[in-house]
Amino acid sequence: MEFAKRMERFETGIFSKLLDLKSARLAAGGTVVDMSIGAPNLAPAEHVMRALADAAMDPKNYIYAIQDLNELHQAVAAWYQRRYGVTLDPAAQITSLLGSQEGLAHIALTLADEGDVVLVPDPCYPVFADGPKLAGAELHYMPMKPEKDFVIDLRDIPTEVAKRAKLMVVSYPNNPTTAMAPDAFYRDLIAFAREYGIGVLHDNAYSELVYDGAQWGSFLRFEGAADVGVEFNSLSKTYALAGARVGFCVGNAEMVGQLAKLKSNMDYGMFLPVQRAAIAAITGDQSCVETTRRAYEARRNYLCDGLTALGWNVPRCSSTMFVWAKIPEGFGDSQHFCEQLLQRTGLLVTPGSAFGPSGEGYVRLALVRTEAEMKLALDNIRESRLLG
């Protein structure tokens, strides 16, 4: 059987490979502390779960949704006004996503044809690149360098590449590097996008997970942002609704409309009880957001300080639910280090090379384990003498 040539652009996803390694170790009787995938282990607030449960008990909610509820768009507009100070037209500037991952996989199909250029961060969350690959686009990586605090330098993009680009993907607070960009970057980004006619996608999944008293906002709060781009936001981490798959694309009405049109040919909308849960999350008591942030900040402190005490210098990250750490000296590459870490300590993390060329030399650890589980991992590292 012959398969589509587009499949030659893809390899098996890194998280599937890591799952195979985990399964093999467990089958051999070993233990695993899995910090590879950013799958939240915190529960949603009770009022959110109650809204979902109540709606799920209504037989009328098992029809195809087809479209988003008007109440959902009104709730998203009110949320963006209240939280970010951004005004959105509920009828034209909002569409739901079946999780940000789904939107990231598909938005390039609305902007880029075969051979067009899409600008993606390096390192980046894998689907940032995989979505454009699905569209047949040519990738141009924008390095995020540690000496520049992992902030993209737009001046490094060749003029000829910029002229061919149709879409640019940007994400701060950033996964995997945990960096945050200054306001000046966004003003330059908007000017750059306007000059070259590039659509901007800003992924803002971690706006609530910033630490040490810092605050984060929305790309759309900057003048001209909605003229050139959209923002993806997600309830997965902020409201612990990862499995429910709730995200939103908001901003530029043309870009939102094109993505909504594509989705109307691909799915039948978000399950109505999930829409009700999303409304409850963003309109209800917001104390759960602070509770979640504090939980991740405490885990960050425990893990980073614990690893540093063992001789692996891992500074505290400034945001997100991840830690981006340089591999210790003496290991050839990030893949080799991850394999040794799993084999000798049972700790499973993601090699930085999975996030793009500039990710080599780093690993990403997800703050999705309890302190008791992290203590087990730290104890195992100490006893293994892996770090010398």
Side-chain angles (χ1 to χ4, degrees):
M1 184 179 294
E2 291 188 7
F3 293 92
K5 292 188 181 299
R6 71 174 61 87
M7 291 306 299
E8 297 174 4
R9 305 167 189 158
F10 301 94
E11 297 181 357
T12 300
I14 181 61
F15 298 116
S16 294
K17 294 179 181 179
L18 294 175
L19 179 60
D20 289 342
L21 293 175
K22 176 181 177 179
S23 298
R25 180 175 173 85
L26 291 174
T31 60
V32 176
V33 178
D34 189 350
M35 302 184 74
S36 62
I37 301 177
N41 65 340
L42 302 173
E46 184 174 351
H47 71 275
V48 178
M49 292 191 289
R50 177 57 55 194
L52 177 61
D54 289 347
M57 290 303 296
D58 185 345
K60 296 192 298 293
N61 284 335
Y62 286 82
I63 62 172
Y64 291 131
I66 305 297
Q67 295 180 334
D68 297 336
L69 295 170
N70 289 332
E71 299 100 302
L72 180 62
H73 283 205
Q74 293 290 340
V76 172
W79 174 45
Y80 254 74
Q81 184 63 60
R82 181 186 71 248
R83 171 59 184 84
Y84 302 109
V86 171
T87 300
L88 296 171
D89 179 353
Q93 290 184 284
I94 301 169
T95 190
S96 71
L97 306 170
L98 302 180
S100 291
Q101 181 104 348
E102 176 263 314
L104 290 163
H106 292 142
I107 191 168
L109 292 168
T110 71
L111 285 159
D113 290 314
E114 290 275 348
D116 287 336
V117 172
V118 174
L119 307 171
V120 296
D122 175 29
C124 73
Y125 186 56
V127 77
F128 288 2
D130 290 343
K133 286 181 186 177
L134 186 64
E138 176 184 324
L139 298 180
H140 178 83
Y141 285 105
M142 302 179 290
M144 297 191 295
K145 302 173 182 178
E147 61 268 25
K148 295 183 179 180
D149 299 321
F150 297 107
V151 175
I152 296 166
D153 191 336
L154 300 172
R155 295 170 298 182
D156 290 341
I157 301 171
T159 300
E160 290 308 309
V161 171
K163 288 179 178 179
R164 293 177 56 210
K166 295 295 184 68
L167 174 66
M168 175 190 292
V169 182
V170 176
S171 179
Y172 294 103
N174 183 256
N175 173 14
T177 69
T178 79
M180 296 190 292
D183 287 359
F185 167 77
Y186 286 103
R187 297 187 182 98
D188 292 343
L189 172 64
I190 293 164
F192 182 88
R194 182 179 285 118
E195 178 179 358
Y196 291 103
I198 301 171
V200 175
L201 165 58
H202 183 257
D203 185 37
N204 198 23
Y206 301 100
S207 64
E208 303 301 340
L209 298 184
V210 295
Y211 307 126
D212 305 314
Q215 297 290 323
W216 192 255
S218 166
F219 160 66
L220 296 173
R221 76 186 190 277
F222 294 97
E223 184 178 356
D227 295 332
V228 299
V230 293
E231 180 164 274
F232 281 11
N233 212 318
S234 167
L235 306 193
S236 292
K237 280 71 178 184
T238 303
Y239 297 97
L241 284 169
R245 313 310 301 133
V246 185
F248 302 101
C249 173
V250 302
N252 182 275
E254 289 183 293
M255 292 175 67
V256 169
Q258 287 294 305
L259 183 55
K261 181 168 74 171
L262 178 65
K263 284 172 56 61
S264 74
N265 288 277
M266 300 180 73
D267 63 61
Y268 284 106
M270 187 185 295
F271 187 37
L272 290 171
V274 172
Q275 294 195 47
R276 292 297 179 188
I279 293 169
I282 59 180
T283 63
D285 181 2
Q286 297 299 293
S287 62
C288 60
V289 176
E290 178 62 13
T291 299
T292 296
R293 188 199 62 76
R294 289 181 178 178
Y296 283 120
E297 185 168 15
R299 292 178 181 185
R300 174 207 67 165
N301 296 346
Y302 187 88
L303 180 65
C304 293
D305 295 354
L307 290 172
T308 299
L310 292 175
W312 182 7
N313 182 29
V314 179
R316 292 180 174 185
C317 60
S318 59
S319 66
T320 78
M321 59 187 295
F322 303 106
V323 172
W324 185 242
K326 277 188 129 177
I327 63 174
E329 293 184 7
F331 294 90
D333 56 50
S334 58
Q335 181 71 36
H336 175 249
F337 174 67
C338 288
E339 292 172 356
Q340 289 294 302
L341 193 64
L342 178 63
Q343 291 171 11
R344 296 178 59 178
T345 76
L347 177 59
L348 182 62
V349 302
T350 306
S353 56
F355 299 99
S358 295
E360 184 52 74
Y362 291 82
V363 294
R364 193 195 73 174
L365 303 90
L367 299 170
V368 294
R369 304 269 71 93
T370 64
E371 286 193 10
E373 291 171 305
M374 289 191 287
K375 181 180 186 303
L376 174 61
L378 293 171
D379 289 344
N380 288 347
I381 292 172
R382 181 184 299 107
E383 294 170 6
S384 73
R385 299 187 179 278
L386 177 67
L387 302 178

